[in-house]
Amino acid sequence: MTEHQRAASMRDVAALAGVSHQTVSRVVNGHPSIRESTRQRVRAAMDQLHYRPNRAARALVTARSRTIGVLSTSAAALYGPVSSINAIQDAGRAAGYSVAVAQLPDLSADAISAGLDHLLAQSVEGIVVIAPQEVVLDRLSRARLGVPYVTLLGGPSAVQRELTVDQVAGARAATGHLIRLGHTRIVHLSGPLEWFEAEARVHGYRAELEEAGLAPEPVLEGDWTAESGYRLGRRVLDDPGVTAVFASNDQMALGVYHAARERGLGIPEQLSVVGFDDIPEAAHFWPPLTTVLQDFTDLGRRSVESLVAEIEGGAEATAVSLQPELIVRSSTAPPRTA
């Protein structure tokens, strides 16, 4: 390998910056004793030489991997988990940590254990769990991880390391909005009920209707996809007395839009639809979708802040529940009957 092809070393950076290689090492490891002017000079030399620290070598010296693990369900392609994982990676880099992701192919005990083992084999210093199902929390409670962890995106109130949006409050806001418009027959399309979030939204839907003196309709369980929203939407529209649908996510709401258009029903003139999540496309549905905003990016950022605080300072992570926001774009009172 020729000189210009050889990857730059720490000594190359030190020579260009006019400092010792020990100084470069301190800059790489974020040592507080380095002057800012020196730090900037070393960083400039690193950029010029395209130097990348060898994390394996650093781990041998510092006994730290500076790596955060993410354990996610196979539904990681959904908007919420993807947004949170992206935010975790961005916040991790900003804090000087790399991020390793283990995606579960299923929710079997073996798959969960294998996912955790995969992360621990990489010497992760903390784990973010984006797998809001009871079986995952059960395995976590049984595992001897030896590292701190936090959970995202929903769970029972007994979970002390949970960062989430108040799903019940969001569902109540969506249902209450439709009630205030005058709808009395509102159907809820839920997500898979083994998900804590889906279960919590069902609870919020029923609680809001019962408080208003209205009888909840039978909940129809979907799988978060637009296809399930379309299929269930067609069932809902077989009953002309139903004038509103609260879908447990925006993708299922999109499926309801399709079913309504297929039947020649106008939205929101003949059917009001409310979703959940406020995906970027929600504002571009036609008509634009009324939905509940939950900030997945903020959740991801906070999870890293919480883990880093515990890893570096020993402050144990505590539960945080953020409030959702109803985004009203298109909905109307129920159509008048003759």
Side-chain angles (χ1 to χ4, degrees):
M1 181 178 291
T2 62
E3 182 66 23
H4 72 278
Q5 292 175 316
R6 181 177 61 83
S9 68
M10 189 175 290
R11 292 187 182 278
D12 295 329
V13 174
L16 181 59
V19 298
S20 68
H21 74 274
Q22 290 91 343
T23 297
V24 176
S25 176
R26 292 189 182 99
V27 170
V28 168
N29 290 295
H31 200 283
S33 67
I34 303 298
R35 293 178 182 176
E36 185 58 32
S37 59
T38 302
R39 190 184 310 277
Q40 291 179 4
R41 193 162 74 251
V42 171
R43 290 291 184 189
M46 290 168 63
D47 290 342
Q48 183 176 333
L49 295 173
H50 304 290
Y51 172 73
R52 296 293 179 268
N54 185 319
R55 288 188 175 274
R58 284 176 60 189
L60 288 174
V61 174
T62 65
R64 294 191 56 190
S65 69
R66 296 195 70 84
T67 301
I68 290 172
V70 176
L71 183 71
S72 178
T73 66
S74 58
L78 294 172
Y79 172 72
V82 165
S83 300
S84 292
I85 290 172
N86 288 342
I88 289 166
Q89 291 174 327
D90 290 343
R93 281 193 295 269
Y97 287 76
S98 61
V99 175
V101 179
Q103 185 172 314
L104 301 177
D106 55 62
L107 293 178
S108 66
D110 287 345
I112 296 167
S113 295
L116 291 171
D117 289 344
H118 174 73
L119 295 176
L120 294 174
Q122 298 180 66
S123 300
V124 297
E125 297 189 52
I127 298 175
V128 182
V129 181
I130 310 179
Q133 293 95 4
E134 182 67 42
V135 62
V136 179
L137 293 186
D138 180 65
R139 295 303 298 179
L140 280 173
S141 67
R142 296 169 182 267
R144 296 182 178 181
L145 298 179
V147 297
Y149 70 89
V150 296
T151 65
L152 291 192
L153 306 182
S157 58
V159 178
Q160 297 302 309
R161 293 172 167 270
E162 175 188 74
L163 289 85
T164 189
V165 172
D166 188 333
Q167 305 295 319
V168 172
R172 295 196 67 151
T175 308
H177 170 69
L178 294 169
I179 292 171
R180 289 188 293 274
L181 289 172
H183 295 278
T184 58
R185 295 198 60 197
I186 304 165
V187 170
H188 178 49
L189 308 186
S190 80
L193 291 176
E194 69 268 19
W195 286 60
F196 292 126
E197 297 166 291
E199 183 181 15
R201 291 172 199 171
V202 170
H203 178 73
Y205 158 77
R206 288 174 172 161
E208 192 70 14
L209 284 170
E210 289 167 3
E211 187 173 290
L214 298 173
E217 301 286 334
V219 170
L220 302 180
E221 183 178 356
D223 62 7
W224 303 126
T225 66
E227 177 60 31
S228 72
Y230 168 71
R231 173 174 45 82
L232 296 175
R234 294 185 65 185
R235 286 176 56 185
V236 170
L237 296 177
D238 286 338
D239 184 344
V242 174
T243 60
V245 172
F246 164 38
S248 197
N249 76 339
D250 294 343
Q251 290 295 336
M252 287 197 295
L254 177 60
V256 176
Y257 269 45
H258 181 187
R261 293 301 186 195
E262 191 174 74
R263 297 286 181 94
L265 298 178
I267 297 175
E269 298 82 10
Q270 294 169 285
L271 181 73
S272 284
V273 180
V274 177
F276 208 107
D277 286 343
D278 194 27
I279 64 176
E281 296 82 6
H284 303 288
F285 287 12
W286 190 253
L289 179 65
T290 292
T291 186
V292 177
L293 167 67
Q294 51 178 346
D295 194 337
F296 297 108
T297 298
D298 191 32
L299 282 175
R301 178 185 57 78
R302 285 173 179 256
S303 70
V304 172
E305 290 178 351
S306 179
L307 277 182
V308 170
E310 184 164 1
I311 291 167
E312 299 186 357
E316 184 171 319
T318 57
V320 174
S321 181
L322 307 179
Q323 290 302 303
E325 178 185 358
L326 180 69
I327 308 295
V328 178
R329 296 193 177 102
S330 60
S331 44
T332 189
R336 295 181 180 181
T337 56

